[in-house]
């Protein structure tokens, strides 16, 4: 399990970490946003001899083409297996940078400095790495742990409200699947003005506890995918469109749809479903789409990684704070849940 460092001074903590670890070469991977807004926070505390790779911001660049450019950069810079990579950015950077590090010469060490709320509470834990392929989310990937994860709320100040809200969807999910009291403490009104340090630490502890029990997602870890089967389908469908959904926006849709299925299949009460739906709609609003797009959106669920053969496997709520996995669903039931969302 990786070392997670909650940092009050990320630049100094990074300098101390690097001083206490040997490496032949240091590389930093950023996107164009984090290069501009986040790299200056740590730059003066880095060793003079480091090299950097920056790629265009956005999920649409999380693909094998960008990976090839990163591998070429590592090759051109003569990285060996004693090198160290720092992934400075959100989930796209951590996923793709970690994937490239884990596969280059069969693996070089990397550390993650997540800069978005989403990557701090979700992608920072568990060692899932990967890239999108042929329009499918995280279709190609591996499990590999970073050497360390440094989490600092200072980076949240660089985020637009929409990005902060995207991360909040995963925070809400953590309460829904594992801790009803945590869910009950989360704000709907004025949600952006909360004690983020406290929230990040609590969400990380929830996810870490699940991942430690099931590192490779053979069972319990599947509960972390609540909202993701249908959410990823929406995210994938609109990935290359001008109506691109942020991850959390798509997962909010997925959680409403899958809460509806939880009433049908796993015993969630209608009153709790309504509580969940009201919170998510208050924070995220309603995403509008054409009824005729529903079959194409739902068809993307067939590529979900939890599926076995032609059976769609869902992780569903039995009540707020409790989630179970391996509930099977038909495509018709998924369509019904999406139609329910549309009707709200």
């Amino acid at each position: 399990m990786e070392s997670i460092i909650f940092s009050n001074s990320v630049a100094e903590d990074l300098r101390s970490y690097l001083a206490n670890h040997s490496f032949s070469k240091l590389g930093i991977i950023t996107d164009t946003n984090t290069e501009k807004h986040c790299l200056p926070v740590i730059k003066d505390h880095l060793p003079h001899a480091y090299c950097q790779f920056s790629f265009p911001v956005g999920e649409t660049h999380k693909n094998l083409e960008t990976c090839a450019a990163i591998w070429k950069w590592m090759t051109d810079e003569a990285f060996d297996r004693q090198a160290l990579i720092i992934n400075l950015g959100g989930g796209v950077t951590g996923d793709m940078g970690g994937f490239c590090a884990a596969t280059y010469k069969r693996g070089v060490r990397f550390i993650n400095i997540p800069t978005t709320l989403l990557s701090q509470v979700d992608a920072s834990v568990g060692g899932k790495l990967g890239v999108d392929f042929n329009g499918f989310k995280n279709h190609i990937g591996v499990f590999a742990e970073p050497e360390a994860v440094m989490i600092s709320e200072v980076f949240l100040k660089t985020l637009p409200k929409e990005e902060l809200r995207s991360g909040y969807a995963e925070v809400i999910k953590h309460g829904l699947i594992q801790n009803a009291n945590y869910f009950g403490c989360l704000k709907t009104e004025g949600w952006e003005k909360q004690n983020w340090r406290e929230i990040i630490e609590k969400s990380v502890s929830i996810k870490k506890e699940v991942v430690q029990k099931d590192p490779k997602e053979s069972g319990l870890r599947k509960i972390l995918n609540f909202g993701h089967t249908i959410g990823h389908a929406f995210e994938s469908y609109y990935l290359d469109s001008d109506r691109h959904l942020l991850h959390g926006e798509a997962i909010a849709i997925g959680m409403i749809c899958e809460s509806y299925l939880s009433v049908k299949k796993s015993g969630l009460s209608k009153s709790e479903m309504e509580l969940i739906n009201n919170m998510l709609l208050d924070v995220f609003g309603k995403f509008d789409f054409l009824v005729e797009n529903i079959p194409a959106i739902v068809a993307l669920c067939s590529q979900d990684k939890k599926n076995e053969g032609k059976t769609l496997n869902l992780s569903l709520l039995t009540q707020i704070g409790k989630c179970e996995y391996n509930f099977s669903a038909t495509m018709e039931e998924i369509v019904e849940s999406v139609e329910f969302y549309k009707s709200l």
Side-chain angles (χ1 to χ4, degrees), residues 237 290-301 331 335 338-339:
Y237 185 80
L290 298 173
V291 173
E292 50 260 42
N293 292 342
I294 292 176
I297 294 168
V298 170
L300 293 168
C301 293
M331 284 294 196
V335 167
V338 175
E339 289 173 343

Side-chain angles (χ1 to χ4, degrees), residues 82-224:
Q82 304 310 310
L84 179 68
I85 298 291
I86 298 173
N87 297 310
L88 177 68
V92 171
T93 306
D95 271 6
M96 186 162 58
F99 174 68
C100 288
T103 50
Y104 176 80
K105 296 193 174 180
R106 298 200 180 96
V108 298
R109 293 169 299 157
F110 63 98
I111 66 174
N112 287 343
I113 305 179
T115 59
T116 63
L117 180 62
L118 178 62
S119 58
Q120 290 180 0
V121 300
D122 186 50
S124 62
V125 182
K128 271 188 177 181
L129 308 168
V131 294
D132 305 338
F133 181 73
N134 277 6
F136 297 116
K137 280 275 295 179
N138 300 324
H139 203 60
I140 309 295
V142 296
F143 284 96
E145 298 280 4
E147 296 285 307
V149 179
M150 291 188 182
I151 296 176
S152 172
E153 63 197 286
V154 68
F155 294 117
L156 301 187
K157 295 169 186 170
T158 69
L159 297 179
K161 186 176 177 179
E162 292 74 21
E163 284 286 355
L164 194 65
R165 189 179 66 165
S166 178
Y168 197 45
E170 293 288 353
V171 169
I172 293 168
K173 181 201 76 179
H174 288 145
L176 287 174
I177 64 170
Q178 278 286 83
N179 192 318
N181 289 335
Y182 182 44
F183 175 78
C185 292
L186 297 173
K187 290 183 180 179
T188 301
E189 199 171 320
W191 62 266
E192 64 272 33
K193 297 180 178 71
Q194 298 189 72
N195 184 336
W196 290 116
R197 173 68 177 261
E198 201 174 279
I199 283 173
I200 292 163
E201 289 191 12
K202 183 63 180 174
S203 269
V204 166
S205 73
I206 287 171
K207 181 162 187 182
K208 195 168 185 179
E209 184 183 351
V210 172
V211 168
Q212 282 176 329
K213 290 176 181 173
D214 179 20
K216 294 291 179 74
E217 204 174 279
S218 56
L220 178 67
R221 185 170 175 168
K222 293 177 184 178
I223 70 171
L224 293 167

